[in-house]
């Protein structure tokens, strides 16, 4: 995966420093824990994981390009009290402005990309055939002002809105957004890139990444 351009964050639960995640996308970069130290665990196939039994928010201190981005995580979630964030702005924007909000609903029935908070209609949502909690899944979310929004599950394109090409307007600079707010369950490798991995020119790299992650975590 090192040959893919645009990396901002690459977190591997196997790489911790003093209980904080090392950002392997950047040299000498350790993320900030906003709650307790990260707790190492394993998935059912013994792949390294983070155990999210209580608040374990992470401040990555890197910026998101508001015009083009990709987020992904491997997760085997359990029930939180509200929307489980992969990524979210510290201060949500006020409609019609857009801030960062990507996550899984509190019942595990849906994942989506939101305009600002979880209380509004998602910009793009995906409801899988089986609940997202209690099973391991690779979820990827992409956006660009060229091609709009997409969601992938386990390497399959499952939701798209090519007409939504509005960039983020706030909450995307370093220090203005966080990872894993209200996350519960097990989390594996997680990343952010300032490119749109859904673009045809990155198809080979995306497929290679998905193939690697699915094999590592035993996802079929």
């Amino acid at each position: 995966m090192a040959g893919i351009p645009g990396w901002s964050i690459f977190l591997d639960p196997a790489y911790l420093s003093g209980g904080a995640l090392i950002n392997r996308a950047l040299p000498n970069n350790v993320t900030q824990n906003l709650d307790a130290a990260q707790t190492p665990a394993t998935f059912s196939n013994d792949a390294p994981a983070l155990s999210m039994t209580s608040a374990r928010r992470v401040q990555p201190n890197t910026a998101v390009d508001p015009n083009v981005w990709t987020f992904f995580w491997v997760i085997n979630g359990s029930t939180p009290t509200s929307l489980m964030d992969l990524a979210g702005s510290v201060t949500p924007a006020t409609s019609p402005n857009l801030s960062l909000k990507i996550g899984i609903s509190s019942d595990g029935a849906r994942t989506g990309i939101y305009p600002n908070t979880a209380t509004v209609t998602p910009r793009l949502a995906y409801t899988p055939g089986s609940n997202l909690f209690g099973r391991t899944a690779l979820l990827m979310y992409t956006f660009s002002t060229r091609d709009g929004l997409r969601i992938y599950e386990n390497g399959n394109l499952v939701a798209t809105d090519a007409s939504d090409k509005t960039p983020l307007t706030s909450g995307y600079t370093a220090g203005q957004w966080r990872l894993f707010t209200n996350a519960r369950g097990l989390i594996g490798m997680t990343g952010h890139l300032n490119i749109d991995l859904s673009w045809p020119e990155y198809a080979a790299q995306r497929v290679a990444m998905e193939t690697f992650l699915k094999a590592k975590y035993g996802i079929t």
Side-chain angles (χ1 to χ4, degrees):
M1 295 193 293
I4 302 173
W7 283 102
S8 167
I9 297 169
F10 179 59
L11 305 180
D12 182 342
Y15 290 82
L16 297 172
S17 176
L21 284 157
I22 296 171
N23 180 8
R24 300 183 67 202
L26 301 174
N28 304 313
N29 186 279
V30 179
T31 62
Q32 178 185 354
N33 289 324
L34 297 177
D35 304 295
Q38 300 301 322
T39 303
T42 57
F43 286 87
S44 59
N45 70 341
D46 293 328
L50 301 174
S51 176
M52 299 286 183
T53 57
S54 59
R56 293 289 191 278
R57 295 172 300 164
V58 169
Q59 184 84 60
N61 294 314
T62 60
V64 177
D65 186 329
N67 300 300
V68 57
W69 45 258
T70 296
F71 284 91
F72 70 88
W73 60 350
V74 174
I75 183 165
N76 189 320
S78 59
T79 305
T81 56
S82 61
L83 185 97
M84 181 189 300
D85 276 7
L86 163 55
S89 299
V90 175
T91 303
T94 301
S95 182
N97 295 316
L98 300 177
S99 55
L100 188 64
K101 189 73 168 178
I102 302 169
I104 300 174
S105 61
S106 60
D107 60 2
R110 180 178 74 179
T111 187
I113 302 166
Y114 294 80
N116 37 61
T117 72
T119 60
V120 297
T121 302
R123 299 174 68 183
L124 181 65
Y126 163 57
T127 301
S130 58
N131 196 282
L132 287 165
F133 294 161
R135 65 182 178 93
T136 304
L138 164 61
L139 297 172
M140 181 181 292
Y141 315 79
T142 69
F143 168 79
S144 66
T145 54
R146 187 181 95 178
D147 285 352
L149 296 164
R150 290 185 172 92
I151 299 175
Y152 293 80
E153 181 188 16
N154 301 338
N156 300 307
L157 178 62
V158 293
T160 184
D161 185 349
S163 66
D164 188 341
K165 299 180 179 180
T166 307
L168 299 172
T169 54
S170 68
Y172 56 81
T173 62
Q176 292 187 340
W177 61 281
R178 298 167 178 166
L179 297 168
F180 307 149
T181 297
N182 207 41
R184 297 293 184 272
L186 298 175
I187 294 178
M189 288 181 171
T190 299
H192 161 242
L193 304 90
N194 281 315
I195 62 171
D196 183 343
L197 274 176
S198 76
W199 286 359
E201 52 263 49
Y202 297 127
Q205 291 98 323
R206 177 177 54 78
V207 170
M209 175 192 292
E210 291 163 341
T211 301
F212 167 78
L213 291 172
K214 288 167 63 179
K216 181 176 182 65
Y217 293 99
I219 299 170
T220 56

